Amino acid sequence: QVQLVESGGGLVQPGGSLTLSCAASGFTFSSEAMTWARQAPGKGVEWISTINEAGTGSTYSGSVKGRFSISRDNAKNTVSLQMNSLKPEDTAVYYCVQGWSPRGTRGQGTQVTVSS
């Protein structure tokens, strides 16, 4: 079955950086777009970024564009999210999601807290 395991979350000061990783298994990874989404306390799931199957194209939400960068390694079945210039409003549980939609199959999430 599909398994997505996120890692790399933690506590970081405003302006800091983190890199999230997601290890995927149970499906043909190179045939699927991959998405990162997040959910802040008391809010709905927010789409952040999607990368296409080959890793040659990506899109970002306006709230993270220019600060976050998505990438993938199809040889290792991993997708990553480099997060720079983090803000307190980036605090959320971050999810790796199979496919283009943030409502697809996702992992258990990793907590990112941005606070001084």
Side-chain angles (χ1 to χ4, degrees), residues 15-105:
S17 299
L18 279 176
T19 300
L20 306 183
S21 295
C22 172
S25 61
F27 63 102
T28 304
F29 183 75
S30 59
S31 296
E32 296 268 8
M34 294 297 295
T35 291
W36 283 97
R38 67 186 180 188
Q39 187 167 23
K43 297 188 177 181
V45 175
E46 176 191 6
W47 169 76
I48 296 174
S49 181
T50 299
I51 188 166
N52 67 4
E53 294 85 341
T56 55
S58 57
T59 58
Y60 299 89
S61 72
S63 62
V64 306
K65 192 171 184 179
R67 299 189 297 123
F68 291 12
S69 178
I70 190 171
S71 62
R72 67 189 294 161
D73 185 336
N74 285 346
K76 297 182 178 179
N77 287 6
T78 58
V79 58
S80 298
L81 186 69
Q82 173 69 43
M83 307 186 295
N84 299 321
S85 302
L86 283 161
K87 305 175 182 180
E89 51 263 43
D90 294 318
T91 294
V93 176
Y94 283 70
Y95 298 97
C96 169
V97 188
Q98 181 189 21
W100 290 95
S101 170
R103 296 176 181 79
T105 301

